[in-house]
Amino acid sequence: MSSQQPNSIEDVFDSSLNLEETHYNKGYSEGYSSGLASGRDEGREVGLKTGFEVGEELGFYRGCIDVWNAAIKVQPNCFSSRVLKSIKQMDELLQNYPVSEPENESATDIVDSLRLKFRAICATLNVKLEYTGYPRSSNVENSGF
């Protein structure tokens, strides 16, 4: 019986050591799963917000192009050939934007090119059109709401 006693004491210490490792592994596993879930949710929110902002900016440029094209239909000579070419290039950039492929690396380049073309057209026409997006919290007081 005395030979079993040391074994049971060793078993108690082994189970204590294993208990700490078991709790560590369980805590790590739960933390990892929780981190994945919260990271996925946060990523979805950021993606939706960014996608909405880009879509809104692209819509602004589409509206400007549509207005300029309507003016061209009414009076074909209202813009210089340089402006007409820039409007056409902006229209092509918008049509080539990879809407269904948000991870496409060319999307950023297209938006940058659209911004440059837009500023060039506005400068040539001597108009002050500007895409500012949603009003920031500091601008809400001045918005009249």
Side-chain angles (χ1 to χ4, degrees):
M1 195 167 226
S2 63
S3 64
Q4 275 187 327
Q5 206 169 19
N7 285 342
S8 63
I9 292 174
E10 286 178 19
D11 289 342
V12 169
F13 287 122
D14 284 346
S15 67
S16 295
L17 291 174
N18 287 338
L19 182 63
E20 181 180 347
E21 186 177 334
T22 301
H23 285 299
Y24 173 83
N25 289 336
K26 184 177 179 185
Y28 176 84
S29 178
E30 288 175 5
Y32 185 82
S33 298
S34 177
L36 277 177
S38 67
R40 190 177 317 117
D41 292 342
E42 186 176 328
R44 183 179 297 118
E45 286 179 34
V46 169
L48 284 171
K49 181 179 184 256
T50 303
F52 181 81
E53 290 170 353
V54 169
E56 185 182 43
E57 184 175 3
L58 294 175
F60 172 78
Y61 295 137
R62 168 55 55 206
C64 291
I65 291 168
D66 289 347
V67 167
W68 292 329
N69 282 330
I72 292 167
K73 284 183 181 179
V74 171
Q75 188 173 352
N77 297 328
C78 64
F79 299 127
S80 69
S81 61
R82 183 175 162 192
V83 171
L84 291 173
K85 182 179 175 184
S86 293
I87 292 170
K88 183 177 179 180
Q89 289 171 340
M90 261 188 90
D91 195 12
E92 289 171 358
L93 284 168
L94 272 174
Q95 289 175 11
N96 292 329
Y97 186 84
V99 175
S100 60
E101 301 174 46
E103 295 179 10
N104 189 325
E105 293 178 15
S106 69
T108 303
D109 295 336
I110 291 174
V111 171
D112 290 342
S113 296
L114 280 166
R115 290 175 182 148
L116 288 172
K117 288 283 179 201
F118 178 75
R119 279 187 245 143
I121 292 170
C122 289
T124 303
L125 295 176
N126 198 23
V127 294
K128 291 197 178 219
L129 292 176
E130 188 176 325
Y131 174 76
T132 56
Y134 268 81
R136 306 291 179 239
S137 58
S138 61
N139 294 342
V140 172
E141 296 169 3
N142 300 331
S143 67
F145 292 105

